[in-house]
Amino acid sequence: GAVVSQHPSWVICKSGTSVKIECRSLDFQATTMFWYRQFPKQSLMLMATSNEGSKATYEQGVEKDKFLINHASLTLSTLTVTSAHPEDSSFYICSASTAKIIGYGYTFGSGTRLTVV
Amino acid sequence: KQEVTQIPAALSVPEGENLVLNCSFTDSAIYNLQWFRQDPGKGLTSLLLIQSSQREQTSGRLNASLDKSSGRSTLYIAASQPGDSATYLCAVSGNYGQNFVFGPGTRLSVLP
């Protein structure tokens, strides 16, 4: 149990286009979803926190108009990279906390590798 | 602001060796600590989760300890195997429902 499904697992897009990444909690309600990104050879950095039904909270240095986060339901959160540029190429991963994991642990999606050409 | 560091950055050992990975965090007021494994180009696999009130957790050949007061955790891997080769990430959460702060990881190579 406590599975987060993330799609797509990889995507290549042209510079200037937009890409949408979806994260679905399959067997629990994710009131809060966290979005991270990981540049090559670096660790994961929190981008934003999204709560169902409200606006996402972005970390310093993350452009909210570029990285649009929607969390309209308790089982779906989306991250849209708008007008993507090569420097947006990264590994994006979502996670949710749930009481279904003992100790209120976190479950992560499988990640999306975005390459902007 | 919480900061997490991991030592060593990279480690290469022959198969069969026991090894220890270290994690340090600057703010001891954590809710839990989790160790993850990340294979190249892949997502995260949760290995062990330690609550702030616990001192260690074990799963198979893995044992993780937590010393919250000193801001340290170690991951012990017994009888290492080539399949253990991956990057190991340590992450802490400040409170229930809060995000994780990740360390930079230790890149482990186990040579056959």
Side-chain angles (χ1 to χ4, degrees), chain A residues 32 34 36 38 42-44 46 49 91 93 97-99 101-106 108-111 113, chain B residues 31-32 34 36 38 41-44 46 49 51 89 93 95-105:
Chain A
T32 302
F34 302 101
Y36 298 83
Q38 183 180 36
Q42 296 186 26
S43 193
L44 283 82
L46 180 69
T49 302
F91 184 72
I93 192 166
S97 176
T98 170
I101 300 175
I102 293 175
Y104 299 97
Y106 291 73
F108 283 78
S110 54
R113 184 158 303 282
Chain B
Y31 183 75
N32 59 31
Q34 198 158 356
F36 297 88
Q38 186 176 30
K42 300 289 180 64
L44 302 180
S46 176
L49 170 71
Q51 293 297 321
L89 298 170
S93 171
N95 207 340
Y96 167 62
Q98 287 189 355
N99 63 283
F100 272 120
V101 176
F102 283 84

Side-chain angles (χ1 to χ4, degrees), chain A residues 19 21 32-37 45-51 54-71 77-82 92, chain B residues 1 99:
Chain A
V19 173
I21 301 170
T32 302
M33 194 78 81
F34 302 101
W35 288 92
Y36 298 83
R37 69 180 164 186
M45 297 295 292
L46 180 69
M47 294 177 66
T49 302
S50 84
N51 293 296
S54 60
K55 291 183 178 180
T57 302
Y58 291 81
E59 295 299 300
Q60 191 172 7
V62 178
E63 301 173 57
K64 62 179 181 180
D65 295 329
K66 181 172 185 61
F67 299 98
L68 302 179
I69 293 174
N70 183 286
H71 195 162
S77 178
T78 62
L79 166 66
T80 301
V81 183
T82 63
Y92 295 86
Chain B
K1 181 183 175 183
N99 63 283

Side-chain angles (χ1 to χ4, degrees), chain B residues 68-89:
Chain B
K68 199 175 78 162
S69 61
S70 67
R72 294 178 184 175
S73 176
T74 61
L75 177 66
Y76 176 81
I77 302 177
S80 58
Q81 303 171 357
D84 295 330
S85 298
T87 296
Y88 291 80
L89 298 170

